[in-house]
Amino acid sequence: MELTLYQKLAAAQKAAPSEFQPTSYWEPYTRAIESELRTLDPSRIRAGGNPILGTFGFQDYVYTQYGRSAWKQLALRFLQNRVLKNRRILPYGLGLEDIRRGAWQFCEITGQNSNARPLSGIEVSDYGAPEDLFIINDKKYTYAFLQYYLRYCFVQRHVGLTDNEVVVEIGSGSGYQIEVLKKLHPGLTVLCFDLPGPLVLCEHYLGKALGPESIVSSGETLEWKSLAQLQSGKVHFFGAWQIPLVTGASIDLFWNAASFGEMELGIVKNYLSYITGSAKCVYLNQATEGKETDGANHVTQKILWQDYCDFLSDYKLLDRRVAVGPVGYACGGNYFEALWTRNGDT
């Protein structure tokens, strides 16, 4: 893995102001990620053998069982892949392939009703040995890929992305959302901001999924003092502490999913201070009741719906709903997704 690049990014973050340091939720992960990078096999980044990667979104394995021991997870995977396979073991005579095809069809229909480009026109990369990989109409998909497509549909219903927009995402994690957006709208210019560990992983994955010619490495952008060198139509990678670079920029869409809720109130307010005014639209997908305030990974104060509304007081709420998944609600119905537009914009 790109350990040297990670070390450069980690050193740069350490020298950044306190508001850009890992919060109490992410600090334990930050301590663990460097040793993981030393031994990680990038060709199996999505196979489930490195559970910590799941915290950054690399969740492409069948029957994820949070809270279970590692050996029980392994036993469940063996049972599914070698013994049960696609036997009809679920209610209504359903098997795993029935669920996958039904989920795909739901996403395809949702796209048709959302002014979205069709799911059937793209497929997921198989780099990283994703366990949950299936074929429909000769194209490859994973359940996670379908999930990220649905988020795109929610936004596309109101925004109408073409191929000329600038998208900024804080907390890009695995990069799966960017993979969906760029495969549907290749002309998008994207700026990804994250902590050093997930940033290196995201950059590596998208370099394989989209092609190395599609990205501008964090090693190149690390010394940038402005966005004057931005390359149209490419995906750019930045450390989270570099977010001040977007001040005054023209941003068509800002995106944050499942990471603001894992930060502290003041940290989120600081990040959004660089975004509000510059971004025409803001998409958030967050824990409705906030994240846990105890345990190894916790926040000191929950961020709730009203807090986001206060931070975006200069924006008009276009839509809000319980976050939907390919089958039922996403994350047990405990997350919302919402879209705002800047006052004065149509």
Side-chain angles (χ1 to χ4, degrees):
M1 216 42 206
E2 295 84 345
L3 187 59
T4 301
L5 176 57
Y6 167 79
Q7 291 170 334
K8 288 181 180 179
L9 293 169
Q13 181 179 43
K14 187 175 181 180
S18 59
E19 59 266 30
F20 299 115
Q21 300 305 317
T23 60
S24 55
Y25 190 97
W26 283 106
E27 201 275 333
Y29 291 124
T30 302
R31 293 199 307 266
I33 194 63
E34 182 170 337
S35 60
E36 193 78 11
L37 290 174
R38 290 182 184 278
T39 59
L40 180 66
D41 178 0
S43 68
R44 297 190 58 77
I45 199 172
R46 302 162 71 191
N50 305 85
I52 192 175
L53 301 187
T55 63
F56 304 127
F58 288 98
Q59 298 173 345
D60 298 280
Y61 29 95
V62 180
Y63 289 170
T64 302
Q65 297 291 325
Y66 293 105
R68 295 182 183 269
S69 64
W71 74 266
K72 286 184 178 179
Q73 291 187 40
L74 184 63
L76 282 168
R77 289 178 194 157
F78 177 83
L79 187 66
Q80 170 60 43
N81 294 334
R82 299 294 182 86
V83 180
L84 297 176
K85 295 185 179 179
N86 194 41
R87 293 182 185 177
R88 298 180 180 274
I89 60 172
L90 300 172
Y92 308 111
L94 294 174
L96 182 57
E97 290 305 315
D98 300 307
I99 294 175
R100 286 167 165 170
R101 182 163 291 277
W104 183 92
Q105 290 174 337
F106 172 74
C107 293
E108 181 77 348
I109 292 171
T110 299
Q112 293 170 2
N113 294 329
S114 304
N115 192 36
R117 294 187 178 176
L119 176 64
S120 57
I122 60 172
E123 63 180 340
V124 72
S125 168
D126 61 5
Y127 177 78
E131 184 182 51
D132 184 30
L133 188 71
F134 51 93
I135 308 294
I136 294 181
N137 298 337
D138 298 323
K139 285 189 168 59
K140 298 183 290 289
Y141 299 96
T142 66
Y143 190 86
F145 192 76
L146 301 183
Q147 176 70 72
Y148 287 99
Y149 178 77
L150 287 177
R151 293 179 184 178
Y152 155 74
C153 289
F154 176 82
V155 170
Q156 186 69 356
R157 183 180 298 115
H158 301 282
V159 174
L161 293 172
T162 57
D163 282 293
N164 302 311
E165 291 84 3
V166 175
V167 178
V168 171
E169 182 177 23
I170 292 178
S172 300
S174 61
Y176 292 174
Q177 188 66 67
I178 301 306
E179 179 184 8
V180 169
L181 292 175
K182 284 291 290 180
K183 285 183 173 179
L184 291 164
H185 300 276
L188 292 179
T189 301
V190 182
L191 287 70
C192 299
F193 293 84
D194 214 329
L195 301 175
L199 188 69
V200 168
L201 294 168
C202 179
E203 181 176 324
H204 178 85
Y205 175 70
L206 288 179
K208 299 293 185 179
L210 302 176
E213 71 285 351
S214 298
I215 71 169
V216 179
S217 172
S218 55
E220 180 177 340
T221 65
L222 186 57
E223 302 301 325
W224 284 14
K225 304 302 181 184
S226 74
L227 297 180
Q229 297 169 266
L230 211 62
Q231 298 183 40
S232 179
K234 293 194 175 185
V235 182
H236 305 71
F237 297 89
F238 300 88
W241 60 95
Q242 294 179 276
I243 194 64
L245 288 174
V246 307
T247 304
S250 179
I251 302 168
D252 295 285
L253 175 63
F254 171 75
W255 198 291
N256 182 271
S259 66
F260 271 174
E262 297 162 356
M263 303 178 192
E264 306 303 333
L265 201 68
I267 300 295
V268 175
K269 184 177 182 179
N270 178 63
Y271 277 125
L272 284 175
S273 70
Y274 298 105
I275 297 299
T276 52
S278 297
K280 294 179 182 178
C281 294
V282 172
Y283 171 81
L284 297 181
N285 184 313
Q286 311 295 338
T288 305
E289 300 299 326
K291 299 297 288 185
E292 54 272 22
T293 55
D294 55 14
N297 303 100
H298 66 276
V299 296
T300 57
Q301 180 181 358
K302 292 184 177 184
I303 303 180
L304 302 176
W305 168 253
Q306 188 56 50
D307 296 314
Y308 296 113
C309 293
D310 292 343
F311 295 152
L312 297 169
S313 58
D314 291 334
Y315 284 71
K316 175 185 176 182
L317 180 65
L318 291 179
D319 198 1
R320 178 198 176 186
R321 71 177 183 186
V322 177
V324 174
V327 177
Y329 290 123
C331 301
N334 296 320
Y335 276 64
F336 72 84
E337 58 183 343
L339 184 71
W340 288 260
T341 185
R342 186 172 55 193
N343 285 333
D345 290 332
T346 56

